[in-house]
Amino acid sequence: MKARVHVMLKNGVLDPQGEAVRHALGALGFDGVEGVRQGKVIELDLADGTTEAQVNDMCEKLLANTVIESYTVELS
């Protein structure tokens, strides 16, 4: 089984990397971009029998800083 974890900064948390990307896009002539939020994707190859609850536990303890980040999990 595979899991894909999407981690993003929560709304209201400043995102300097996203702002740098937005500024760079403007410098390249892409003036229509009003905001950018930067995130990360973590792909996990999981042993059979691993549950979504276990993946959420991994996120809560290591993969995301839940004080400032939110996450979603996709299992396949």
Side-chain angles (χ1 to χ4, degrees), residues 14-43:
L14 294 178
D15 185 352
Q17 288 179 313
E19 186 59 21
V21 170
R22 188 196 62 77
H23 179 72
L25 288 170
L28 291 170
F30 298 104
D31 297 326
V33 180
E34 295 179 353
V36 176
R37 300 293 286 175
Q38 168 96 17
K40 59 186 171 187
V41 176
I42 303 165
E43 293 188 350

Side-chain angles (χ1 to χ4, degrees), residues 1-2 5 8-10 14-16 18 31 36 40-41 44 50-52 56 61-63 67 71 73-74 76:
M1 176 170 56
K2 292 187 181 285
V5 180
M8 295 290 295
L9 289 171
K10 290 181 177 179
L14 294 178
D15 185 352
D31 297 326
V36 176
K40 59 186 171 187
V41 176
L44 304 169
T50 304
T51 66
E52 185 170 358
N56 283 320
K61 291 182 178 177
L62 176 67
L63 301 179
V67 173
Y71 66 89
V73 176
E74 297 174 14
S76 61

